[in-house]
Amino acid sequence: LSIYLSIYLSIYLSISHSLVVFSSTSLSYFRDRSQLSKALLPSGEVSAFTKKPKSLEVTAGSLAEFVAEVGKADAKVKWQKDGKDIQAGEKHTITAEGVQHKLVVNNVTKDDEAGYAVISGTSKVKFELKVKEEDGKGSPGDQISPEVPAAPTPAAPAAPAAPAEQKENVAASSPEEPPCAQLPNDNQDEKPSDSTRKSSVWSLGEGSTEEGEKLDDSKRSTLFTEQPHSGTVTVGGDITFVAKVETKDLLRKPNAKWFKGKWLDLASKAGKHLQLKESFDRISRIHTFEMQIIKAKENYAGNYRCEVTWKDKFDSCSFDLEVIEAPEVQQIDIRAAFKRRAAPVSGTDGQDDAGELDFSGLLKHREVKDENTEPDFDVWELLKGAQPHEYEKIAFEHGITDLRGLLRRLKKIKREEKKSAAFAKVLEPGYQVERGDKIRFVVDLADPTVDLKWYRNGQEIRPGPKYIFEHKGTLRMLTIKNCTKADDAAYQVSAGEEKSTTELFVKEPPILITRELEDTNGLVGERVELECEVSEENAQLKWYKNGVELGVSSKYRFRTEGTKHWLIIPEAAKTDSGTYSVKTAGGQSTAALKVEMRPLKILQGLTDQVVQVGQQAVLQCEMSLANLPGKWYKNGQVIYPTDHLKIFHRGRVHKLVVEKAALDDDGEYTFVPEGYTVHLGAKLRMTDPPKLYLDHLTKTPEIVVVAGNKLRLDIPVTGEPMPRIVWMKGDKAILETGHRVRAESFHDHASMVIDAAEKDDCGVYKIVVQNEAGEDSATLKIRVVDVPDPPAAPIVTEVGGDWCSMMWSPPDYDGNSPILGYIIERKKKQSSRWMRLNFDLCKEMTFEPKNMIEGVPYEVQVIAVNAIGLSRPSDPSKAFVPLAPTSEPTLLACDGVTDTSVTLKWRPPERIGAAGLDGYLIEYCLEGKDEWIVANSELTDKTKYTINGLPTGEKIHVRVKAVNAAGQSLPISMAQSILVKEVVELPKIRLPRQLKQTYIRKVGESLNLMIPFQGKPRPKVSWTKDGAPLDLNTISIRNTDTDTVIFVRKTERRHSGNYELRVQVEKIEDKATIVIQVVEKPGAPFTVQIVEVWDTNVELAWTPPKDDGNAAITGYTIQKADKKTMDWYTVVDHYHRTNCFIPDLIVGNEYYFRVFAENMCGLSDEATRTKNSALIQKQGLSLKSPEYSDFDFKETPKFTHPLINTIAVSGYNATLNCSVRGNPKPLITWMKNRMVIENNPRYRMFANQGVCTLEIRKPSPYDGGLYTCKAINPLGEDEVECKMEVKVAQ
């Protein structure tokens, strides 16, 4: 067993050692996408940094210095801490000397322990600062002196040789292993490839810090009030990132998006492990956006981004998530415990203990996770043959979210170098040249006949004095002479479909300062100049004050003459003191400027003053220096000039003027010259004579108080010092020690209190106020008021059906206040509830209650009202009962007249009342006399009565009265007299409007028509149909004195025809004709034929049905059916012609067709089908182009709708309508009785879309006659006519 265990351990340790060496090597070198590019390219790219800062560990309280060098003197460099830009200040000192840039962290504390970065262009180098406590126990070798900068990284050469880092990596790797992809390394710079030189840098889900800066500035704005911060979470734990946006200036809610890496929108990934929330606080108006990660996994680590947009505003911030593995207590794996660390790799730090045994595996155990990030083999082939800058694009196109894991697997596959078919030798990745020198680009062509072109920043280069093209054999050369800053660009050469790119860096010689700045002293207000001299003219310099760059402004001016440069401060101030420096690409110079104040003397100080309120107060002082600013203070608070406080400064005099001084101006005033510690002070004391304020009272104030109430009278009082206050009534003073009536005094007002006011409290009161500045007094009058006494009992003077009249006397005592009015109340005698009758006070002493119930006894009472309140109610009146006769009868009319009698009829009265109705009294009077004769000796309860025994030929007037217990009502009479003589009424048929035209009914419906008529004596009525008597077996006729009814229970088509009605009285008759049409559904079309079949079209033709259902055919419906299924489908409906084209039929199918006829009753019950079918041929199709001839649209005038005979009513507008068709457009002429109508304002003529209208305005019987409408055009003419009868309304 021991032998077996030893063999097993030796084999396992050797395998573990190899895996650990491989993993450690990969993790040490391959850190980000930029180094992945270096590992896979034959030669590296040129970095912006020639010297990179390294991580430091310093003791708390010391300083840390980081040094970086760039390849260009004018390159812009910025420093960052935890992703945020660092600004120069007391904590951080940022300097730049030529190509060298330094960041010094002063007085290092634990808060400074973080991740730092330096950025230049698209290159970024990360490093860390670690701080340890100063305990003195560490060995000297464990600390790195902050004064000694980290060893610089070897600069990337401009020559095509591979960079040093790559050489070391290759040397450390196994000879059999290909170059491996690198993971992100904090000490490596991030730089994209040539083709993406101007693009944003994204590496395996981590965004470049410059991504936000590349956005359009017009869309940038600061929206975040709180940004999400980077965080760390253990595997399986939860973490929440919070972003807050303030929306006080936004009209609606902003939109927020969360991303992982550059392009992965997390909104689509929300679910079990990711939740996005948002909330809104209405008080602070802040939107809170949260991203919560639940049960984090290792592959969740990376860079995240939050974007907020609102209209044209945009804000973005990035943050990192680190997922660490949680320690787990599990069973110890003895095989994993005895593993060896990775072998040391050249060029790496922290590997001194490589090769030693690691027993930490006994204490912890990591769960082995199966990372299945291997994509399909075709994606691997794409990555193997692609350029490094194309990796991210390929991952995006194929939906690969774990690009980091994919690249770790890619390092195991040997990359085959793809030889260029056009180039035997391509351009180097980068070139460097001094300004003014020349540079030559050389490529070797595999095919010398290929077409070659050179490009600069994408623009083709043409030969000229600056650019020279050469060729020697297969070599092609481009020479650029006298290189300038403008030649610093990306260059490309294309040979056919292949391209080779490079980048040219132009270095400028450093500009040196030949004459340093000198320390300068100055006084406030004087002109100060700082001068220096540089080695070249027109050099670009930057001036700094205390490390902050200065720009041109009204405070600072810059002047240049040749190599000399000046910084000018026109008027120096105390704040201008400091350290000034000038920087060039080759060095810098620093000098100190000290601005001191001038000596000051006080020529006149401030003096204390006493001022009365309302007057002007002036505080003045004088200094020895003119135009010296200063500030005024009151009780330690700064005074700003207003209309009340005015500040003047003229020369050496400073003045403070208080206009119309008030009490609150009292205090201590101080003047302090600016820049000096001198304080000039004075006190201002205010006085004010006492004054009473009675603005809310009249000139002779009178205070009214209700008896029994409490009166508290407050009079505002002012005065400084506080005055003495005395209240008096007559000659007697009111003391503060009184009980019911007492005085009270306060610092700002005086009060007098009367508890439970009485009549004796009425009178004149006086108040006197005194102080050392004066005296004031006022007189007040107090009146005590009460409610009035009740009035006497009211008297009812008159009673009606639902009303009565009443009167009363005023009360004996009005309560010391005028009576404003009275309230009247009523109740039923049997009830105890009084009801108020008037909402507005009654000013008079009479009233008329209304809306009472007849026959019910009532009582009334009165209440007096004054300004204080209501009196007690008066005694109730005597009881009374309202009763009234009925209203007059209604609708009196003459129902019939004979030679000796007149028959009257009427309707009962609208209001009868509680007394009821006993009957009616009928009276008549002969015309010309005033005597009314009672026709009925006894009352009649009927509403119809005949007066007999009247003289024939006389005219009489009649009237009717209603009678009840309350008496007779008002009479109702007829407006005209009645002639006692029987009258013959001519017959007249009043034909309803709908029967003046053809009356249409469907078969089976009932027919019920009532035609009213008039005539006396009762007329004789007769009916005929088409000139023959009616068949009374199927048609029923019912006649009355005033109308006739024709009724058919179930109509048939044989009932259609012209019905004539005759009404005859003696030898005079009237007649009317009614046209009745009974319709039903039509029959099917007679025949349906297939006329022609071509292509996918079929032409059909059919003949109208023999039976049209007694109505015009309005259209046809065509259906088709496939012979296979015989399912019918409608093709066309409401079709008016008798032929039709059916298009878009399916090739190879065979169709049948059928046609339905349609009229106003609907479709026919049956359809006619084609006998033969139409087969749509599958082949041999040919298009027959039909020949069309131009259609002649010319047409003679023809009326499509005629004029209709019309009966108009006199006084109402009438219209005649018809429609005409014709081309060219015909001329319309209207005629009456064959006479042309023109220039007559009583007629108006319209013509619109062929519809012609003649409007006759308020016609009279004279306008009746024959009307004609005539249409004329060059092809012919046509006319229609009708008759119009005008009747007078009765």
Side-chain angles (χ1 to χ4, degrees):
L1 180 62
S2 61
I3 296 173
Y4 174 79
L5 180 61
S6 61
I7 295 173
Y8 178 81
L9 284 177
S10 61
I11 296 174
Y12 181 78
L13 289 177
S14 62
I15 296 174
S16 300
H17 174 70
S18 302
L19 292 176
V20 171
V21 170
F22 179 82
S23 176
S24 175
T25 305
S26 301
L27 293 175
S28 300
Y29 287 106
F30 303 106
R31 290 292 186 186
D32 56 9
R33 207 187 71 183
S34 60
Q35 290 203 349
L36 173 65
S37 303
K38 294 180 181 180
L40 297 180
L41 284 174
S43 59
E45 297 178 353
V46 178
S47 171
F49 293 99
T50 59
K51 181 179 179 181
K52 306 172 185 176
K54 287 199 172 184
S55 300
L56 296 178
E57 182 177 3
V58 299
T59 305
S62 61
L63 61 85
E65 182 180 45
F66 300 97
V67 181
E69 292 184 0
V70 295
K72 302 177 184 179
D74 59 344
K76 293 184 178 180
V77 175
K78 64 178 180 180
W79 301 82
Q80 290 186 342
K81 175 185 177 183
D82 287 336
K84 298 182 180 179
D85 293 346
I86 300 176
Q87 304 296 333
E90 297 181 358
K91 186 65 178 179
H92 300 91
T93 303
I94 300 175
T95 59
E97 297 180 1
V99 297
Q100 188 180 70
H101 296 261
K102 292 183 180 180
L103 169 64
V104 178
V105 183
N106 301 311
N107 191 18
V108 176
T109 62
K110 268 295 184 180
D111 295 338
D112 298 321
E113 188 174 81
Y116 292 77
V118 59
I119 301 174
S120 176
T122 57
S123 297
K124 179 179 179 180
V125 177
K126 298 181 180 178
F127 51 93
E128 293 183 352
L129 173 60
K130 296 184 178 180
V131 182
K132 65 179 182 178
E133 298 297 336
E134 188 175 0
D135 51 7
K137 297 181 180 180
S139 63
D142 295 338
Q143 298 184 3
I144 301 176
S145 174
E147 303 295 335
V148 181
T153 304
E165 294 90 337
Q166 183 180 352
K167 291 181 178 180
E168 293 173 355
N169 296 342
V170 176
S173 303
S174 174
E176 290 79 16
E177 293 181 355
C180 301
Q182 296 184 0
L183 296 175
N185 187 350
D186 292 343
N187 223 15
Q188 296 296 332
D189 62 316
E190 302 174 2
K191 185 174 182 67
S193 61
D194 296 337
S195 61
T196 59
R197 183 173 181 266
K198 304 300 181 182
S199 303
S200 302
V201 177
W202 292 86
S203 177
L204 306 178
E206 297 180 358
S208 170
T209 58
E210 299 171 353
E211 179 65 21
E213 299 176 1
K214 297 179 182 295
L215 295 173
D216 188 359
D217 293 340
S218 64
K219 298 183 179 179
R220 286 294 305 267
S221 67
T222 303
L223 295 177
F224 285 112
T225 57
E226 179 180 335
Q227 297 181 354
H229 301 287
S230 301
T232 304
V233 65
T234 58
V235 174
D238 300 343
I239 189 172
T240 303
F241 298 94
V242 180
K244 295 184 178 181
V245 178
E246 187 174 8
T247 60
K248 289 183 178 179
D249 300 330
L250 307 183
L251 298 180
R252 64 171 182 264
K253 187 191 81 171
N255 294 325
K257 292 184 178 181
W258 300 84
F259 296 89
K260 184 176 191 296
K262 181 178 180 181
W263 43 264
L264 181 58
D265 190 350
L266 297 180
S268 60
K269 303 297 182 181
K272 179 179 179 181
H273 295 280
L274 177 66
Q275 294 183 4
L276 303 180
K277 302 179 181 179
E278 61 178 274
S279 60
F280 177 65
D281 189 348
R282 297 184 177 273
I283 299 176
S284 60
R285 296 193 63 80
I286 291 180
H287 280 276
T288 302
F289 301 95
E290 297 182 2
M291 180 181 74
Q292 184 178 9
I293 297 177
I294 304 172
K295 296 183 179 179
K297 299 181 181 179
E298 287 185 351
N299 58 348
Y300 289 0
N303 180 263
Y304 291 80
R305 189 172 80 260
C306 178
E307 291 185 358
V308 176
T309 57
W310 182 83
K311 283 192 176 180
D312 57 345
K313 295 183 179 181
F314 172 84
D315 203 355
S316 174
C317 64
S318 300
F319 55 94
D320 297 322
L321 173 62
E322 181 182 1
V323 182
I324 60 177
E325 195 164 346
E328 296 182 4
V329 179
Q330 295 185 2
Q331 185 178 359
I332 299 176
D333 187 356
I334 190 65
R335 295 174 297 173
F338 291 94
K339 64 180 180 182
R340 287 188 179 272
R341 295 183 180 176
V345 181
S346 177
T348 60
D349 298 333
Q351 302 291 337
D352 296 338
D353 56 349
E356 297 180 1
L357 288 176
D358 183 11
F359 294 92
S360 61
L362 296 173
L363 303 177
K364 61 183 180 180
H365 176 74
R366 296 184 182 270
E367 180 182 357
V368 180
K369 294 184 178 292
D370 184 15
E371 295 185 0
N372 186 17
T373 58
E374 182 178 357
D376 295 336
F377 185 77
D378 56 342
V379 179
W380 287 45
E381 292 297 330
L382 290 176
L383 291 174
K384 288 169 57 180
Q387 296 295 326
H389 65 270
E390 298 176 348
Y391 291 163
E392 192 171 282
K393 178 181 178 182
I394 294 174
F396 178 81
E397 291 177 351
H398 292 81
I400 300 173
T401 58
D402 190 5
L403 182 60
R404 186 190 299 270
L406 185 64
L407 294 179
R408 283 201 297 265
R409 298 297 303 269
L410 183 63
K411 63 182 172 52
K412 300 180 181 180
I413 300 178
K414 183 176 181 180
R415 179 172 177 176
E416 298 179 0
E417 297 294 337
K418 182 179 179 181
K419 293 186 178 180
S420 173
F423 294 102
K425 179 182 179 182
V426 297
L427 293 174
E428 302 299 340
Y431 295 86
Q432 184 171 324
V433 65
E434 298 287 342
R435 190 183 67 179
D437 294 346
K438 68 178 181 179
I439 186 69
R440 173 177 294 176
F441 300 121
V442 181
V443 297
D444 191 0
L445 298 179
D447 182 6
T449 61
V450 71
D451 187 15
L452 193 73
K453 290 185 181 181
W454 296 86
Y455 298 89
R456 174 180 174 273
N457 287 339
Q459 300 293 329
E460 186 177 356
I461 301 175
R462 302 293 182 183
K466 187 174 182 65
Y467 302 100
I468 299 175
F469 297 94
E470 302 177 87
H471 62 90
K472 293 182 181 179
T474 59
L475 298 180
R476 299 293 184 267
M477 292 164 282
L478 168 63
T479 303
I480 305 175
K481 293 184 176 181
N482 190 20
C483 292
T484 63
K485 193 65 178 177
D487 296 321
D488 189 299
Y491 291 83
Q492 186 182 72
V493 58
S494 64
E497 298 295 331
E498 297 193 20
K499 298 179 181 178
S500 177
T501 60
T502 187
E503 195 166 353
L504 176 61
F505 299 90
V506 180
K507 297 182 62 177
E508 295 187 357
I511 298 175
L512 304 178
I513 299 177
T514 58
R515 180 181 174 185
E516 302 287 340
L517 295 176
E518 298 179 357
D519 295 342
T520 306
N521 296 330
L523 297 177
V524 174
E526 293 184 349
R527 177 187 176 95
V528 177
E529 295 184 359
L530 298 176
E531 179 184 0
C532 70
E533 189 172 354
V534 296
S535 58
E536 293 186 10
E537 295 184 357
N538 300 326
Q540 299 294 330
L541 278 73
K542 293 184 179 180
W543 293 86
Y544 296 84
K545 176 189 175 184
N546 297 331
V548 179
E549 185 177 353
L550 301 178
V552 179
S553 64
S554 59
K555 184 68 176 177
Y556 301 101
R557 300 178 184 174
F558 305 98
R559 184 163 65 91
T560 302
E561 292 183 3
T563 59
K564 294 183 178 181
H565 297 262
W566 287 270
L567 169 62
I568 302 172
I569 305 176
E571 293 184 4
K574 186 71 175 177
T575 56
D576 293 328
S577 299
T579 301
Y580 291 80
S581 59
V582 60
K583 296 183 180 180
T584 65
Q588 71 174 7
S589 177
T590 305
L593 172 61
K594 185 177 181 181
V595 181
E596 298 179 348
M597 303 298 296
R598 298 182 182 182
L600 177 65
K601 293 182 179 180
I602 307 300
L603 302 181
Q604 178 185 350
L606 299 177
T607 58
D608 296 340
Q609 295 188 21
V610 179
V611 179
Q612 189 172 351
V613 174
Q615 296 181 356
Q616 184 186 72
V618 180
L619 299 175
Q620 180 176 323
C621 63
E622 185 176 358
M623 306 292 162
S624 61
L625 298 179
N627 299 327
L628 175 63
K631 291 185 178 180
W632 289 88
Y633 295 84
K634 175 189 175 184
N635 299 330
Q637 300 294 327
V638 179
I639 298 176
Y640 297 98
T642 61
D643 294 338
H644 179 60
L645 297 173
K646 298 182 180 179
I647 299 175
F648 299 94
H649 177 203
R650 294 181 181 177
R652 296 177 296 181
V653 178
H654 295 265
K655 186 185 297 184
L656 173 64
V657 179
V658 182
E659 298 287 352
K660 297 181 180 180
L663 291 176
D664 56 357
D665 293 323
D666 189 288
E668 185 175 352
Y669 291 80
T670 307
F671 177 75
V672 180
E674 184 176 340
Y676 295 89
T677 59
V678 179
H679 292 72
L680 285 77
K683 292 183 178 180
L684 181 63
R685 181 169 174 266
M686 308 301 300
T687 62
D688 187 20
K691 185 178 180 181
L692 296 170
Y693 292 90
L694 304 175
D695 297 339
H696 58 291
L697 302 176
T698 59
K699 186 174 182 181
T700 305
E702 182 181 21
I703 294 92
V704 180
V705 60
V706 179
N709 288 355
K710 180 179 179 179
L711 171 64
R712 181 181 184 89
L713 186 59
D714 294 332
I715 306 297
V717 179
T718 60
E720 185 67 28
M722 181 178 176
R724 176 174 172 268
I725 304 171
V726 178
W727 286 89
M728 299 181 67
K729 181 182 180 184
D731 297 333
K732 185 178 179 181
I734 300 175
L735 303 178
E736 294 184 357
T737 58
H739 296 286
R740 195 177 61 83
V741 181
R742 62 185 179 275
E744 297 178 358
S745 298
F746 301 92
H747 71 283
D748 59 346
H749 69 279
S751 300
M752 184 182 69
V753 180
I754 301 177
D755 294 330
E758 300 174 356
K759 291 183 179 181
D760 296 339
D761 295 327
C762 295
V764 178
Y765 292 78
K766 184 178 182 180
I767 179 174
V768 180
V769 291
Q770 294 177 343
N771 72 354
E772 61 184 27
E775 178 182 337
D776 193 11
S777 63
T779 302
L780 305 174
K781 184 179 180 181
I782 296 178
R783 180 162 56 94
V784 181
V785 296
D786 201 352
V787 296
D789 290 342
I795 301 173
V796 178
T797 58
E798 187 178 359
V799 178
D802 61 346
W803 59 273
C804 71
S805 294
M806 57 183 291
M807 58 182 296
W808 61 90
S809 300
D812 297 334
Y813 172 65
D814 61 358
N816 237 357
S817 178
I819 299 297
L820 301 179
Y822 299 90
I823 297 175
I824 295 86
E825 294 182 341
R826 180 191 71 197
K827 79 175 183 67
K828 298 178 182 178
K829 186 176 181 181
Q830 305 300 330
S831 174
S832 60
R833 186 173 63 88
W834 291 91
M835 182 177 66
R836 183 171 176 171
L837 301 181
N838 58 322
F839 292 98
D840 297 329
L841 294 179
C842 179
K843 306 296 183 182
E844 305 294 335
M845 285 181 289
T846 59
F847 190 75
E848 186 176 316
K850 296 181 180 180
N851 300 325
M852 291 185 287
I853 303 174
E854 293 185 57
V856 178
Y858 286 90
E859 293 177 348
V860 293
Q861 67 181 16
V862 181
I863 301 173
V865 181
N866 65 1
I868 308 306
L870 308 178
S871 70
R872 289 181 289 105
S874 67
D875 294 333
S877 66
K878 294 182 179 181
F880 62 93
V881 179
L883 285 175
T886 65
S887 61
E888 68 275 9
T890 59
L891 302 178
L892 176 61
C894 179
D895 193 42
V897 180
T898 64
D899 291 341
T900 59
S901 65
V902 172
T903 302
L904 302 177
K905 63 179 180 179
W906 62 90
R907 299 291 296 169
E910 294 181 354
R911 181 182 56 82
I912 295 177
L917 177 62
D918 296 338
Y920 298 96
L921 183 65
I922 299 94
E923 299 176 337
Y924 68 93
C925 175
L926 298 177
E927 189 175 23
K929 296 182 180 181
D930 297 333
E931 181 184 1
W932 287 92
I933 302 171
V934 178
N936 55 331
S937 57
E938 295 181 359
L939 297 178
T940 178
D941 56 352
K942 298 181 180 179
T943 57
K944 188 175 183 180
Y945 188 80
T946 301
I947 304 175
N948 298 312
L950 297 176
T952 303
E954 291 289 339
K955 291 183 178 181
I956 63 171
H957 295 277
V958 294
R959 66 183 185 185
V960 179
K961 296 179 182 179
V963 182
N964 68 356
Q968 298 179 357
S969 69
L970 296 176
I972 181 174
S973 59
M974 296 184 62
Q976 298 177 354
S977 60
I978 302 174
L979 177 62
V980 184
K981 185 178 180 181
E982 190 172 3
V983 179
V984 176
E985 184 179 2
L986 299 179
K988 179 65 178 177
I989 300 175
R990 298 189 179 277
L991 194 64
R993 185 186 299 271
Q994 70 271 18
L995 299 181
K996 294 181 180 180
Q997 299 179 355
T998 302
Y999 188 72
I1000 301 176
R1001 303 296 291 174
K1002 293 183 180 179
V1003 172
E1005 294 180 347
S1006 62
L1007 175 66
N1008 188 7
L1009 301 178
M1010 184 185 71
I1011 299 94
F1013 57 83
Q1014 63 184 21
K1016 287 186 180 181
R1018 179 173 179 173
K1020 180 181 179 181
V1021 181
S1022 62
W1023 285 87
T1024 59
K1025 175 190 174 187
D1026 297 331
L1030 297 180
D1031 183 5
L1032 299 180
N1033 295 326
T1034 59
I1035 301 176
S1036 300
I1037 301 296
R1038 181 182 61 84
N1039 298 324
T1040 64
D1041 294 345
T1042 57
D1043 57 38
T1044 179
V1045 176
I1046 180 171
F1047 176 75
V1048 179
R1049 185 175 300 277
K1050 190 174 182 180
T1051 57
E1052 300 177 0
R1053 287 178 59 176
R1054 60 190 179 89
H1055 292 141
S1056 301
N1058 296 332
Y1059 291 77
E1060 186 178 62
L1061 170 64
R1062 296 176 181 268
V1063 178
Q1064 183 177 0
V1065 176
E1066 295 181 353
K1067 295 183 179 180
I1068 303 173
E1069 72 174 4
D1070 189 16
K1071 61 182 178 179
T1073 301
I1074 303 173
V1075 179
I1076 297 177
Q1077 182 180 358
V1078 181
V1079 298
E1080 62 181 347
K1081 293 182 180 179
F1086 187 63
T1087 58
V1088 179
Q1089 297 180 351
I1090 298 176
V1091 178
E1092 184 179 2
V1093 180
W1094 77 96
D1095 197 8
T1096 59
N1097 307 306
V1098 172
E1099 181 183 358
L1100 301 177
W1102 60 88
T1103 56
K1106 293 183 178 181
D1107 182 11
D1108 59 0
N1110 202 24
I1113 299 297
T1114 59
Y1116 300 91
T1117 297
I1118 301 94
Q1119 294 183 347
K1120 68 178 180 180
D1122 191 351
K1123 185 177 180 180
K1124 299 177 181 178
T1125 61
M1126 289 308 292
D1127 293 333
W1128 292 96
Y1129 298 95
T1130 300
V1131 180
V1132 183
D1133 56 358
H1134 307 300
Y1135 191 74
H1136 298 287
R1137 299 181 180 178
T1138 57
N1139 60 335
C1140 178
F1141 292 92
I1142 311 299
D1144 302 329
L1145 298 176
I1146 299 175
V1147 175
N1149 288 3
E1150 190 172 356
Y1151 293 91
Y1152 284 97
F1153 300 91
R1154 67 181 182 183
V1155 181
F1156 290 88
E1158 182 180 6
N1159 65 1
M1160 62 185 298
C1161 295
L1163 293 176
S1164 59
D1165 295 330
E1166 297 180 354
T1168 303
R1169 198 182 79 174
T1170 57
K1171 296 182 179 179
N1172 301 324
S1173 62
L1175 177 62
I1176 308 303
Q1177 300 291 339
K1178 294 185 179 180
Q1179 60 183 1
L1181 300 178
S1182 61
L1183 177 62
K1184 296 181 180 180
S1185 300
E1187 296 182 359
Y1188 298 99
S1189 58
D1190 294 336
F1191 185 77
D1192 187 7
F1193 290 93
K1194 294 183 179 180
E1195 182 181 9
T1196 58
K1198 181 179 180 182
F1199 283 93
T1200 59
H1201 190 280
L1203 293 174
I1204 299 175
N1205 295 338
T1206 304
I1207 299 176
V1209 180
S1210 177
Y1212 294 87
N1213 291 356
T1215 57
L1216 300 178
N1217 299 290
C1218 62
S1219 60
V1220 66
R1221 185 175 64 193
N1223 192 18
K1225 183 177 179 180
L1227 176 64
I1228 305 301
T1229 304
W1230 287 91
M1231 294 180 289
K1232 176 188 176 185
N1233 297 330
R1234 310 306 297 180
M1235 299 295 294
V1236 177
I1237 301 173
E1238 57 183 354
N1239 299 329
N1240 192 334
R1242 299 185 68 253
Y1243 297 88
R1244 290 201 302 175
M1245 295 170 241
F1246 307 92
N1248 183 18
Q1249 300 294 329
V1251 178
C1252 305
T1253 303
L1254 173 64
E1255 182 181 0
I1256 307 171
R1257 305 180 64 182
K1258 296 183 179 180
S1260 63
Y1262 171 76
D1263 293 317
L1266 180 66
Y1267 286 83
T1268 306
C1269 181
K1270 190 173 185 180
I1272 304 174
N1273 72 356
L1275 300 180
E1277 63 182 32
D1278 192 11
E1279 66 179 23
V1280 292
E1281 60 184 17
C1282 71
K1283 292 181 180 181
M1284 188 181 77
E1285 179 183 355
V1286 181
K1287 295 187 177 181
V1288 178
Q1290 295 182 0

